[in-house]
Amino acid sequence: MPNLASRTRTMSLEGLLELYINSDNTSRLLEKLKSQGKSRVSLKGMVGSAPPFVLAAVSKGLQKVHLCILPNQETAAYFLNDLENICGKEAVLYFPASGRKPYEEGPADNSSILLRAEVLSSLLHYSDNDANKHKVIVTYPEALSEKVVTKSHLLKNTLEVRKGEKLSVEFVVEILLEYGFERADYVIEPGQFSVRGGIIDLFSFSNDFPYRVELSGDEVESIRSFNTVDQLSIEQHDTITVLPNIQTRLLREHQQSFLEYIPSDSVIWIKEAELFTDKEQFLNQLENFSIVELGNRFYFNAALVLEYRMSQQPVFNKNFDLLIENLNENERAGFRNILFSDTEKQVERLRSILDERAAFTPIHLSIHEGFTDHQLKVACYTDHQVFGRYHRFQVKNVFSKTNEAITLKEIKGLNPGDYITHIDHGVGRYGGLEKMEVNGKLQEAIRLVYKDNDILYVSIHSLHRIAKYSSKEGAVPKLDKLGSAAWQNLKQKTKKKVKEIAFDLIRLYAERKAKKGFAFAPDNYLQNEMEASFIYEDTPDQLKATKDVKKDMEESAPMDRLVCG
């Protein structure tokens, strides 16, 4: 068998996308969509994750809003992930349902509100920004069936803050409360704001990170976004736009259809319209837009029908001989074999298993389903389908960035009298939050009470120096005396004890290192095939633990490692 790997034709994601941009079907579709009037186009024969590639190619040549309506939330999420990986996350927006049931008055999901608000804000300023002309929005009927606040009321209830402008704290507080924001000690999620003297922290419903606005008198001195976990600045801003809670009762009294937000020249992409609930009533609202329909069943009468000759990725059931045979057949027929994988580890496993018996080009990103395009002569495979793994979709969740803010949450959950340990001063009691003037500015600080009722104030910017006291259950600690040497002496004794333990451990490890153990051979293709058969992909921590254990096992010294799961 010749070395097929040496004959592999390289192909990047950009190169694959270029094939679709330059294809005859894309040219005909663009010509139709650019013509006068409302177009009706059917795309037949597309399978797997081919539709996102076609949409990405068309959106490059047609700088308009492209609204993609998928049958349900799960299908929309997979379509969204494919588009984000192909076009980049900044080029795609997601419009989910709010999570509130009809006529329900309870709170909606904050992450969904943020995503919905992000889309509305982007469309609100669409005509004002020429560089912002290319938008792809992914959604589903349940999300579109919910009314949204009217454009006029959203504009009226949007606060713009500019560096250098005159602004009073009282005015901002009044506006934010009217916008449905909640006043809190610290902001950790969208819809919250806090005021500390001339500093206003606010978490808008259309941004991933909160803003910190600093006033000097009545003038905005600086605006920056910051991380809620460590309070560190991320980016400086000259102007920010603060969107209200679009689910507040006030704004829900002035609503319109989401379709009234998008420009009239937008292109609607619909997949499997026959699966939509109440499809006649829903689809009748789309009459004034150009429509591109794809799937197996079509609802609209198309003026242009484009045929794609495609087939699904074959099922191999982890039979790698079948995979090799399929790859080689493609190679002989002049097809490019492309393997999509979201981890380098899977690519390494495939290289080891195939052992140069077949040629493929890896692209390091994930798509949901593989496909073969017989017109463009490309065969796209996904590693999770080859290995029979479950493929998860991922939808942006703002709280993935804020859930680690445990220090702030713990402080909010403390009760006066709870024991606190300060790294420099020892054990004291939590005495609550107090506002105090520092250099002419009102700031918030944590009050700690020590022995003999001595008081220590800790700035909220020094939260990393304190922790909630932990001990054996029921054990009551002794309060330390501020200014005494007792706490420092205890720290020194502890450090000395740690050094003694460390010395003993070093001696023990040296003795173990001198002994000989059994060195296992490195992994071969059988090990890779077994690992590849697992249904779920390892997490980064699991991958690291496995790699470290294998490295230890291949050493001649005895392994000394504990793995906890």
Side-chain angles (χ1 to χ4, degrees):
M1 171 71 69
N3 187 346
L4 292 175
S6 64
R7 295 192 288 107
T8 301
R9 287 169 291 184
T10 59
M11 170 67 73
S12 64
L13 175 64
E14 293 75 18
L16 178 58
L17 186 56
E18 198 69 26
L19 286 179
Y20 281 96
I21 291 173
N22 297 324
S23 70
D24 290 339
N25 276 344
T26 300
S27 298
R28 293 178 64 192
L29 180 53
L30 282 171
E31 183 181 354
K32 184 64 177 175
L33 294 175
K34 289 177 179 178
S35 64
Q36 295 296 321
K38 304 304 177 185
S39 305
R40 297 288 183 271
V41 183
S42 292
L43 308 184
K44 293 187 175 181
M46 281 199 292
V47 297
S49 290
F53 278 97
V54 173
L55 170 56
V58 172
S59 67
K60 294 281 186 183
L62 191 63
Q63 299 290 301
K64 295 182 178 181
V65 169
H66 297 266
L67 179 66
C68 313
I69 309 175
L70 285 302
N72 53 56
Q73 183 179 13
E74 182 177 320
T75 312
Y78 281 121
F79 198 91
L80 171 77
N81 285 177
D82 285 349
L83 277 174
E84 287 178 332
N85 287 329
I86 296 167
C87 303
K89 291 191 176 183
E90 67 286 345
V92 188
L93 295 171
Y94 181 51
F95 190 73
S98 68
R100 176 188 278 112
K101 298 291 185 292
Y103 311 111
E104 188 177 60
E105 290 299 324
D109 175 48
N110 262 359
S111 289
S112 296
I113 294 177
L114 187 144
L115 290 169
R116 288 171 70 88
E118 183 179 26
V119 175
L120 296 184
S121 176
S122 182
L123 290 172
L124 197 64
H125 302 93
Y126 178 73
S127 59
D128 301 331
N129 188 354
D130 290 334
N132 211 18
K133 284 289 183 186
H134 171 210
K135 289 192 190 306
V136 178
I137 303 168
V138 178
T139 187
Y140 47 98
E142 183 188 349
L144 291 180
S145 66
E146 295 185 48
K147 298 286 189 180
V148 296
V149 59
T150 61
K151 280 187 175 183
S152 58
H153 270 78
L154 188 56
L155 279 170
K156 182 181 174 183
N157 290 277
T158 298
L159 174 66
E160 284 196 355
V161 180
R162 294 182 177 84
K163 185 177 176 181
E165 75 172 351
K166 296 291 183 182
L167 197 68
S168 72
V169 173
E170 294 77 13
F171 172 77
V172 174
V173 170
E174 184 181 341
I175 289 293
L176 292 177
L177 290 174
E178 187 179 326
Y179 284 2
F181 280 68
E182 172 197 358
R183 187 163 185 168
D185 294 324
Y186 313 99
V187 298
I188 55 176
E189 60 183 62
Q192 293 181 329
F193 76 96
S194 69
V195 178
R196 295 185 301 278
I199 299 175
I200 306 169
D201 289 348
L202 51 93
F203 207 145
S204 174
F205 278 96
S206 59
N207 297 86
D208 291 347
F209 292 98
Y211 295 117
R212 178 161 290 156
V213 180
E214 291 197 42
L215 301 176
S216 178
D218 282 342
E219 184 178 316
V220 178
E221 189 173 59
S222 69
I223 307 170
R224 62 183 186 272
S225 52
F226 68 95
N227 192 310
T228 56
V229 179
D230 51 24
Q231 301 290 301
L232 295 179
S233 298
I234 297 172
E235 185 180 357
Q236 297 284 342
H237 301 272
D238 291 327
T239 305
I240 60 170
T241 301
V242 182
L243 246 65
N245 182 345
I246 59 174
Q247 295 297 133
T248 59
R249 181 176 296 184
L250 174 65
L251 294 185
R252 279 190 280 140
E253 291 173 358
H254 304 276
Q255 295 190 319
Q256 65 184 64
S257 166
F258 174 77
L259 295 173
E260 295 178 60
Y261 259 84
I262 63 176
S264 59
D265 64 349
S266 300
V267 180
I268 309 291
W269 296 68
I270 301 175
K271 184 176 182 180
E272 300 291 356
E274 286 292 332
L275 299 179
F276 293 1
T277 306
D278 300 326
K279 59 178 178 293
E280 286 82 7
Q281 181 180 352
F282 177 75
L283 296 174
N284 284 341
Q285 302 175 51
L286 306 177
E287 287 295 332
N288 295 324
F289 297 96
S290 291
I291 294 173
V292 178
E293 199 174 359
L294 47 99
N296 296 317
R297 289 165 289 186
F298 298 87
Y299 180 84
F300 295 94
N301 294 320
L304 173 66
V305 177
L306 297 176
E307 296 283 351
Y308 290 81
R309 291 195 295 112
M310 297 184 177
S311 57
Q312 295 277 7
Q313 175 176 327
V315 178
F316 301 109
N317 289 323
K318 301 170 192 170
N319 185 330
F320 295 105
D321 288 333
L322 285 178
L323 172 62
I324 291 167
E325 183 181 342
N326 184 251
L327 291 172
N328 288 337
E329 283 179 4
N330 289 340
E331 181 75 10
R332 286 190 291 270
F335 281 71
R336 295 178 175 90
N337 292 319
I338 301 170
L339 177 77
F340 287 88
S341 174
D342 51 3
T343 65
E344 288 286 357
K345 182 64 177 176
Q346 288 295 78
V347 174
E348 290 173 17
R349 286 172 181 160
L350 268 174
R351 283 198 178 110
S352 171
I353 293 167
L354 300 181
D355 192 26
E356 297 187 347
R357 291 180 290 170
F360 69 93
T361 299
I363 292 182
H364 191 194
L365 61 82
S366 175
I367 61 173
H368 183 46
E369 291 180 317
F371 60 93
T372 299
D373 191 323
H374 299 276
Q375 290 161 311
L376 298 182
K377 285 189 171 293
V378 289
C380 298
Y381 300 82
T382 68
D383 70 321
H384 54 269
Q385 286 177 290
V386 168
F387 292 119
R389 294 173 180 270
Y390 178 73
H391 186 229
R392 296 182 178 88
F393 62 77
Q394 294 181 330
V395 175
K396 184 172 74 170
N397 184 347
V398 64
F399 300 113
S400 64
K401 299 182 179 70
T402 59
N403 277 339
E404 298 173 23
I406 189 167
T407 306
L408 292 175
K409 290 185 176 180
E410 279 187 348
I411 291 297
K412 289 182 72 174
L414 287 175
N415 297 312
D418 288 349
Y419 291 102
I420 294 287
T421 303
H422 192 290
I423 193 170
D424 296 321
H425 304 288
V427 179
R429 275 200 175 101
Y430 176 65
L433 292 167
E434 287 194 14
K435 291 180 179 177
M436 52 197 310
E437 193 170 304
V438 179
N439 296 327
K441 291 186 177 181
L442 200 63
Q443 293 189 10
E444 211 158 23
I446 295 162
R447 187 172 186 260
L448 298 183
V449 182
Y450 283 84
K451 190 175 180 179
D452 299 332
N453 288 323
D454 289 342
I455 304 296
L456 175 70
Y457 291 99
V458 181
S459 166
I460 63 161
H461 300 295
S462 300
L463 294 183
H464 61 282
R465 306 196 68 79
I466 64 175
K468 191 170 183 179
Y469 177 83
S470 60
S471 67
K472 294 180 181 178
E473 190 174 344
V476 179
K478 289 174 60 178
L479 294 180
D480 285 296
K481 173 73 176 173
L482 281 180
S484 74
W487 175 250
Q488 297 302 326
N489 291 337
L490 179 60
K491 284 171 66 176
Q492 290 300 323
K493 287 179 182 177
T494 304
K495 286 180 182 178
K496 183 180 178 184
K497 191 67 177 175
V498 169
K499 286 181 180 178
E500 291 174 358
I501 295 172
F503 178 79
D504 291 340
L505 286 174
I506 291 170
R507 185 180 61 207
L508 177 63
Y509 288 144
E511 292 173 1
R512 286 183 176 176
K513 204 72 176 172
K515 293 180 180 179
K516 290 293 180 183
F518 180 80
F520 289 85
D523 290 349
N524 57 24
Y525 75 97
L526 291 174
Q527 173 77 15
N528 286 322
E529 281 194 17
M530 184 197 73
E531 291 180 354
S533 69
F534 300 154
I535 297 175
Y536 295 100
E537 183 60 67
D538 289 347
T539 65
D541 287 340
Q542 289 169 339
L543 281 172
K544 185 179 184 303
T546 303
K547 183 179 178 181
D548 291 345
V549 168
K550 286 180 178 179
K551 185 174 181 294
D552 285 353
M553 292 174 69
E554 292 169 15
E555 299 286 343
S556 58
M559 182 170 69
D560 181 25
R561 183 180 293 276
L562 173 65
V563 179
C564 298

